[in-house]
Amino acid sequence: MGQSDAAWALLGTTIRLAQTMGLHTERSTVHWPEQMKMKARNLWSTIVWQDSLLCLCYDRPPIVSVTGWSLASSFFERQDLSFAEVMHLLCRISLDIMGPETLGVVELDRALEGLQRVDDIHQRGLPYLRSRENCITLQQHLEHLALRMHTSFCVSVFCRPAMKQSTPQSFHPHAGILRARAKGSLIDASKAFLDFQALSTVPLRSWSMVHTVLSSTLLLCIWEETRNDPECRNLQQKVIDVFSSSNSRTNDDGASFSENDSQWLSDRHIRALVTLRSALEREQETGATETENWAGMASNVPQFGPGPVGYMDMPDPFDVSPVTYLDSIMNLPMFDYTQENGFL
């Protein structure tokens, strides 16, 4: 489902239960039947997959480890990796990039290393994973598009340091390469989502894919290198159209959204969708200039969802980096700590 907040909380419990069962390490399963060992390995790989994606989405440290299960040396050399195997290696890269041992590395250097490893893994996948022209069955089409979305999201996260404004790293010799890769990944993630949802409802019900497309289109809408690009504007409108439904209604703030959104979208995703929609609607209906458009949108984004999440003042996108602005929308605090509620 699209509830990434619930996924974060429930996954923590799932990980602890899996560790209690000994699924996190091969040593705990040494006396198990071979078939059970394989099931344990696959189950732990799935947990690692979810945790690494959630950590990339929320910019939080992971709590899983992949060191408990050894991989055959041939696994790192094979040229016929399946979808699950490519995703496993992609998650390993994400965990390495987010690990504490890389914190002292210059952000752009770390990004370049991550991109090189991602490109290498992608080239080692099965032909249909590398190119949609090689897809024959529906399953192959779905796996190809899913991998495109996940890979594009990872690339965009790795390249985010290059999207920051007014930083010394902008003079890094490879900053231009990273910015080009960032733009390409944001566009490709949006296109893959649109192609995927035309074949299946999975992208609209998967928190990781919902987060990927909304964060990608928001960055396309915010970032100075893409916000005036007609292709990017067209992609943003198409994404909004997909999320819109025929039985939409209008809330008290005048923002239209599906009656079912609150059931399968997290508050942060509804907020992101409304932010994106507000930007495009203001431009289309009022013909506002770019600065007026963003200034008005930043001060009028409504707050959705029940609970203690308070109103969060939106910064002016022209005063902060696109990544900071994205975080102010997508990474809302679960509690409003500005109020004296005795929680702390």
Side-chain angles (χ1 to χ4, degrees):
M1 298 294 286
Q3 288 284 354
S4 57
D5 292 324
W8 175 266
L10 292 175
L11 185 62
T13 302
T14 303
I15 291 173
R16 294 309 183 200
L17 288 174
Q19 290 173 332
T20 301
M21 296 171 63
L23 303 182
H24 64 295
T25 173
E26 193 171 9
R27 182 178 55 195
S28 301
T29 64
V30 65
H31 298 299
W32 293 14
E34 196 61 35
Q35 184 179 9
M36 292 300 296
K37 283 185 181 180
M38 184 60 64
K39 288 184 177 181
R41 178 193 290 270
N42 292 339
L43 183 54
W44 184 249
S45 294
T46 302
I47 292 174
V48 170
W49 180 341
Q50 293 294 305
D51 190 48
S52 62
L53 290 178
L54 273 169
C55 291
L56 282 178
C57 290
Y58 288 163
D59 191 24
R60 297 172 183 170
I63 61 175
V64 298
S65 171
V66 294
T67 59
W69 287 92
S70 60
L71 293 175
S73 57
S74 60
F75 186 79
F76 297 95
E77 301 173 357
R78 284 173 43 205
Q79 302 296 318
D80 59 346
L81 297 177
S82 67
F83 170 72
E85 290 171 332
V86 172
M87 281 300 305
H88 178 76
L89 291 179
L90 195 63
C91 291
R92 278 178 169 257
I93 295 175
S94 301
L95 293 175
D96 289 344
I97 293 296
M98 293 182 293
E101 62 276 5
T102 64
L103 295 180
V105 181
V106 177
E107 282 186 312
L108 295 188
D109 291 337
R110 185 172 53 182
L112 288 169
E113 177 192 354
L115 291 179
Q116 185 175 5
R117 294 173 63 185
V118 168
D119 292 342
D120 176 66
I121 291 174
H122 184 265
Q123 291 302 316
R124 291 166 51 205
L126 289 167
Y128 75 87
L129 295 176
R130 299 196 301 268
S131 173
R132 197 175 180 187
E133 294 179 354
N134 297 320
C135 296
I136 299 176
T137 66
L138 176 60
Q139 182 66 25
Q140 289 180 347
H141 279 280
L142 298 181
E143 289 184 358
H144 169 84
L145 293 171
L147 183 60
R148 270 179 60 190
M149 287 198 68
H150 291 311
T151 301
S152 296
F153 178 67
C154 288
V155 169
S156 69
V157 172
F158 294 165
C159 292
R160 283 183 183 180
M163 287 186 264
K164 295 179 180 178
Q165 299 172 345
S166 303
T167 65
Q169 291 182 340
S170 61
F171 300 103
H172 191 283
H174 299 295
I177 296 176
L178 291 178
R179 291 169 76 88
R181 288 294 300 270
K183 179 178 179 179
S185 66
L186 297 176
I187 292 175
D188 198 47
S190 302
K191 288 182 176 179
F193 170 83
L194 293 171
D195 290 342
F196 203 157
Q197 63 82 32
L199 299 176
S200 170
T201 59
V202 168
L204 287 169
R205 295 297 182 266
S206 166
W207 64 261
S208 60
M209 293 185 179
V210 168
H211 188 98
T212 293
V213 71
L214 290 181
S215 61
S216 296
T217 49
L218 265 177
L219 282 172
L220 288 175
C221 195
I222 298 168
W223 194 19
E224 59 184 358
E225 294 199 12
T226 57
R227 60 182 172 230
N228 294 319
D229 189 317
E231 179 187 12
C232 296
R233 293 276 179 85
N234 185 45
L235 287 173
Q236 295 160 30
Q237 186 60 59
K238 287 182 177 180
V239 169
I240 289 176
D241 292 342
V242 168
F243 279 96
S244 300
S245 62
S246 58
N247 60 338
S248 62
R249 61 184 174 86
T250 302
N251 69 357
D252 295 337
D253 296 288
S256 176
F257 62 98
S258 170
E259 293 182 0
N260 295 323
D261 279 351
S262 59
Q263 299 176 15
W264 58 271
L265 285 180
S266 298
D267 287 348
R268 69 189 70 236
H269 291 153
I270 296 177
R271 183 182 178 91
L273 182 59
V274 173
T275 302
L276 180 63
R277 182 179 296 165
S278 297
L280 295 182
E281 286 183 351
R282 280 179 59 85
E283 181 175 325
Q284 294 171 357
E285 295 177 3
T286 67
T289 64
E290 186 177 36
T291 303
E292 291 172 343
N293 181 36
W294 279 106
M297 187 196 70
S299 61
N300 290 293
V301 176
Q303 182 72 37
F304 290 96
V309 179
Y311 180 80
M312 186 175 184
D313 291 333
M314 302 298 296
D316 188 336
F318 290 94
D319 294 335
V320 298
S321 76
V323 176
T324 301
Y325 187 75
L326 176 69
D327 287 341
S328 71
I329 298 171
M330 299 292 275
N331 291 334
L332 287 172
M334 186 171 293
F335 301 97
D336 184 4
Y337 297 112
T338 63
Q339 302 298 319
E340 186 66 33
N341 53 19
F343 182 78
L344 294 178

